[in-house]
Amino acid sequence: MGFKIVELENSWKIGYKLDNIIVNYKEFVIPILISEIDVLLVNNQLSVSVRLLSELSKHNVLVIICDEKHIPSTLIVPISGHYNSLKILEKQMQWTDKYKFEKWRDIIKLKIFFEDQIIDFLKLDKIDNVNYNYDSFVSVQGAEALHARMLFERLFGKKFIRFDEENDENRFINSTLNYGFSIILSAFCRSIVKNGYDTRISLFHKSFSNHFALASDLMEPFRILITFYTYKVIRKLKKEHLILSSEIKTQLIKILEEDMYYNNERIRISIGIDKYVFDILNDKEFKIEFIYDIN
């Protein structure tokens, strides 16, 4: 796995030569070694060679294409990412309802734990006096939705409404959250395929239009990284500067490069995602610690 996150925008042309991305911009020709790249973000105005996309796929580089609003809209995932993918797929298709429920319950408990951890870290009013019920899919989802709503209320105020596009501040918060969640979702899709699983066969999320349902399931505990970053941004910016700028997008992308602790080992979050996907789907024990910095 590489270690660089590369973002290319404007009307550039990129191709492949001798294990490098070749970037043609005006009179400049810039080579970027593919083996050093972990994530490549490109704007839909770029011209990209099919040969390059094939080589990026072979090297398991996560390729994200952004739309005209610079929002991630397309994810390129290799068809085969694991030598034993057929055997793993057969096992995945045999997941029982009991297995799915227990995994989903574990994921939501972990998500709520991290949300409470942020509340403690920021010394905000605790989310208490809630008797969560984890007896069924419906009750687990109800606990997750209720806790998330109360978390957003404490971080962004009582006037915050998820997916609200009318209020300027809410629109900025939602845009930042959505952009960041798209990045995390893309990283999970890449990791799921790398581990030999099919992103469409899920634990909980189900939709005929969601081809990344399993990624939507597994990423839930990692959403807090984006939520926390959005909280930091909203604290620092004045209301007239609430724009999803290139700088904010870059910082959201770079969250994958930040460190975390996984089983007491300090590693990059992108690597931690790989380990977490493998461990949780193979009934392995693991311990996750995120590193928070309010500055």
Side-chain angles (χ1 to χ4, degrees), residues 188-203:
F188 267 88
C189 287
R190 188 263 303 273
S191 184
I192 287 167
V193 173
K194 184 193 298 185
N195 277 283
Y197 293 90
D198 190 306
T199 61
R200 296 166 295 181
I201 302 174
S202 65
L203 301 171

Side-chain angles (χ1 to χ4, degrees), residues 184-192 215 218-219 222 273 276-277:
I184 297 294
L185 177 71
S186 301
F188 267 88
C189 287
R190 188 263 303 273
S191 184
I192 287 167
L218 300 184
M219 70 176 280
F222 285 72
I273 288 174
Y276 161 75
V277 168

Side-chain angles (χ1 to χ4, degrees), residues 20 27 34 40 59 72 74-75 113 133 145 148 153 163 173 199 201 212 224 242 258:
N20 283 269
E27 70 274 17
I34 291 177
L40 175 67
H59 285 79
T74 304
L75 171 66
F113 171 78
N133 185 340
E153 181 180 291
F163 305 112
I173 294 171
T199 61
I201 302 174
F212 310 126
I224 195 63
L242 296 180
E258 293 180 1

Side-chain angles (χ1 to χ4, degrees), residues 57-290:
S57 180
K58 289 178 184 177
H59 285 79
N60 205 33
V61 175
L62 175 59
V63 180
I64 303 171
I65 301 175
C66 300
D67 61 20
E68 63 279 0
K69 295 181 180 179
H70 305 283
I71 302 298
S73 62
T74 304
L75 171 66
I76 299 178
V77 181
I79 292 176
S80 178
H82 193 278
Y83 72 94
N84 209 16
S85 58
L86 180 57
K87 185 176 181 180
I88 294 172
L89 176 60
E90 289 175 346
K91 178 182 176 182
Q92 186 180 2
M93 294 179 68
Q94 294 172 4
W95 285 348
T96 64
D97 288 343
K98 181 176 183 293
Y99 173 87
K100 291 179 181 180
F101 168 68
E102 290 176 350
K103 288 299 174 187
W104 179 240
R105 182 181 57 194
D106 292 344
I107 287 168
I108 294 307
K109 283 185 175 181
L110 187 60
K111 179 185 182 184
I112 289 176
F113 171 78
F114 288 135
E115 291 175 346
D116 285 337
Q117 197 175 61
I118 280 294
I119 294 295
D120 290 340
F121 177 75
L122 296 174
K123 296 181 172 57
L124 301 175
D125 292 338
K126 290 190 175 184
I127 300 174
D128 51 15
N129 298 321
V130 178
N131 184 20
Y132 293 132
N133 185 340
Y134 295 106
D135 293 336
S136 68
F137 276 112
V138 173
S139 56
V140 169
Q141 187 60 14
E144 186 276 332
L146 177 60
H147 200 277
R149 188 175 74 246
M150 291 190 290
L151 173 74
F152 285 142
E153 181 180 291
R154 281 157 177 74
L155 294 180
F156 306 127
K158 294 184 177 181
K159 293 183 179 180
F160 174 71
I161 302 174
R162 191 74 174 101
F163 305 112
D164 175 31
E165 292 293 319
E166 300 298 325
N167 178 281
D168 289 343
E169 185 170 336
N170 285 351
R171 182 168 58 250
F172 169 77
I173 294 171
N174 281 312
S175 296
T176 305
L177 290 173
N178 293 341
Y179 188 92
F181 291 155
S182 295
I183 298 299
I184 297 294
L185 177 71
S186 301
F188 267 88
C189 287
R190 188 263 303 273
S191 184
I192 287 167
V193 173
K194 184 193 298 185
N195 277 283
Y197 293 90
D198 190 306
T199 61
R200 296 166 295 181
I201 302 174
S202 65
L203 301 171
F204 173 78
H205 286 87
K206 289 181 177 63
S207 171
F208 288 114
S209 61
N210 184 2
H211 298 288
F212 310 126
L214 184 57
S216 299
D217 290 336
L218 300 184
M219 70 176 280
E220 289 290 348
F222 285 72
R223 284 178 178 267
I224 195 63
L225 299 169
I226 304 301
T227 304
F228 179 61
Y229 173 79
T230 304
Y231 170 79
K232 292 198 298 182
V233 170
I234 202 72
R235 285 177 68 247
K236 294 178 181 179
L237 291 181
K238 296 181 179 179
K239 289 193 174 181
E240 60 269 23
H241 296 150
L242 296 180
I243 300 173
L244 187 56
S245 64
S246 296
E247 180 182 355
I248 291 174
K249 292 175 186 174
T250 299
Q251 292 305 313
L252 286 166
I253 296 164
K254 286 186 175 180
I255 285 176
L256 295 176
E257 291 183 323
E258 293 180 1
D259 286 350
M260 62 177 288
Y261 285 98
Y262 196 92
N263 290 338
N264 298 318
E265 178 186 4
R266 185 162 181 154
I267 57 177
R268 290 203 319 273
I269 288 172
S270 58
I271 298 175
I273 288 174
D274 284 347
K275 291 179 177 292
Y276 161 75
V277 168
F278 176 84
D279 286 346
I280 196 166
L281 294 179
N282 286 278
D283 299 319
K284 305 287 186 181
E285 292 187 1
F286 61 88
K287 180 181 179 183
I288 293 176
E289 295 178 65
F290 293 129

